Amino acid sequence: MSNISEDILICFVSYCQSVLDLKYSTIKLYLAGIRHFSIANCSVNPLVDNVGKPLLRLQNILNGIKKTENKSVRQKLPITYSVLQQIYQHLQKSIFDPHLDFTMLTASVIGFFGFLRCSEFTCKQSFDSALNLTMDDVVFVSDCQVNLCLKASKTDIFRHGVIIKLFKTNNNICPYVQLSKYVTSRKMNGATDNDPLLVDSSNLALRRSLFIDKLKTILSHLGLNADKYSGHSFRIGAATTCSSNGIQDHMIQTLGRWKSDCYSRYIRTSEVDIRQALSKMCK
């Protein structure tokens, strides 16, 4: 850690922004992790110079990334439960092909009820079983609960993994039932534990670009302005739906895995409460 130079940090930041497509806030979070471990192991802060001032070139690059983001930020509309219902009904009319319709439907349902970021259930380019969702990441705990194990997440810097708990909602759109049907179908077609969970018509891992493209096609068919939606709209819509249905703030923060003020850390949320909250989202 003590040998981390400003040039190395600049290369790291550039890679995060240009290749991994990470935002300024996430890159800053990663740098904070590097700083923490360097100080803990070597008593050296790699983010400052010999007199304790921030590294000038590194800071300029970070400022540039931040300014670029500020220019391109566009607020996206939420895919609420009512919009999800329209998507659900539309996909049952054979929009693309049966296989892709099934995948798009499953991705939409778990994206909404799991408060998932698009990157958490799709792959950007090539599939990596060590990072992306596989068949083995779906665990049916009981006849009403299924866990989705995320190996990688935006805020899970050290890749400890995150478990998303989903339950039967006793409604026509149900994450438990949808995953059960989809996983059963995938296994019948020969999918193994390390194969991608969500696949396209060619049986390849569902790419983010394909998912967004097909999602916008569906939204356009529904008469909505597709340009105002993104893969993140499911996560936004889930939170919006919860709020509209009177679900408490701390529960929304729990379901969405948002880091906020300290009070949420002291709240212990039971699985019964999570199950009831997911059911309320269908109203």
Side-chain angles (χ1 to χ4, degrees), residues 113-161:
F113 284 100
F115 286 68
L116 300 181
R117 301 174 179 88
C118 190
S119 60
E120 292 174 339
F121 60 88
T122 63
C123 61
K124 187 174 181 180
Q125 294 175 334
S126 59
F127 172 74
D128 184 348
S129 61
L131 297 175
N132 303 124
L133 279 178
T134 61
M135 293 288 294
D136 197 35
D137 290 324
V138 180
V139 180
F140 289 91
V141 179
S142 67
D143 60 357
C144 65
Q145 178 184 347
V146 57
N147 289 349
L148 197 61
C149 307
L150 302 181
K151 294 187 286 285
S153 179
K154 177 182 177 181
T155 54
D156 182 21
I157 303 175
F158 302 109
R159 302 292 186 254
H160 294 309

Side-chain angles (χ1 to χ4, degrees), residues 3 43 68 73 79 85 97 105 119 128 133 152 160 165 174 188 212 224 226 234 240 247 253 259-260 262 283:
N3 294 324
S43 300
T68 301
V73 169
I79 292 179
Q85 285 180 309
D97 62 72
L105 184 55
S119 60
D128 184 348
L133 279 178
H160 294 309
K165 298 177 181 180
C174 173
M188 288 178 63
I212 297 298
L224 301 173
F234 288 101
T240 302
I247 296 174
Q253 290 166 358
K259 305 295 183 183
S260 61
C262 296
K283 295 181 179 179

